[in-house]
Amino acid sequence: SKGVPMRQADKSPCDVPELAPDLEAWRSHKRNGLIRGQELHHWAGRVMAAEPKAFVEEFIGHLAQSSPPDHDALHKEVTTLMEVAAKAGRPEIVEAVIQAA
């Protein structure tokens, strides 16, 4: 039978800073490449709910690294991020997205 690798069991909670599960899942998922449209909206909402302080850095950084194909695509993705922040009632994050973009 397959068991849990001992390495995981041996880790103490102090070994790694605690990340919100949604932020950790996002970081793992974004390694697959450019995330756009509804998928971006989905992940932005999850991270906003779990870890709003990380929102701007995570998503603007993702767009900068993955470079959407054209200006219109970038504009649409930034608008998605602003909408998620606005719906969460976080005008300071909307403003931070505008400044970072």
Side-chain angles (χ1 to χ4, degrees), residues 20 23 27 44 46-59 90 92-93 96-97:
L23 182 56
R27 287 179 176 171
R46 285 180 62 177
V47 172
M48 175 60 72
E51 205 64 44
K53 291 179 182 173
F55 184 84
V56 174
E57 182 179 337
E58 288 293 325
F59 288 95
R90 302 296 300 258
E92 76 282 7
I93 294 179
V97 168

Side-chain angles (χ1 to χ4, degrees), residues 8-78:
Q8 286 181 341
D10 292 342
K11 280 191 173 183
S12 81
C14 297
D15 289 347
V16 180
E18 189 70 28
L19 286 178
D22 285 334
L23 182 56
E24 199 168 357
W26 156 252
R27 287 179 176 171
S28 176
H29 189 74
K30 74 178 181 175
R31 290 187 195 114
N32 297 329
L34 179 61
I35 296 168
R36 301 180 61 196
Q38 280 302 112
E39 191 178 12
L40 180 70
H41 192 275
H42 166 79
W43 282 105
R46 285 180 62 177
V47 172
M48 175 60 72
E51 205 64 44
K53 291 179 182 173
F55 184 84
V56 174
E57 182 179 337
E58 288 293 325
F59 288 95
I60 295 298
H62 171 68
L63 293 180
Q65 289 175 356
S66 56
S67 25
D70 56 47
H71 181 73
D72 288 341
L74 177 61
H75 180 73
K76 185 174 181 178
E77 305 309 343
V78 170

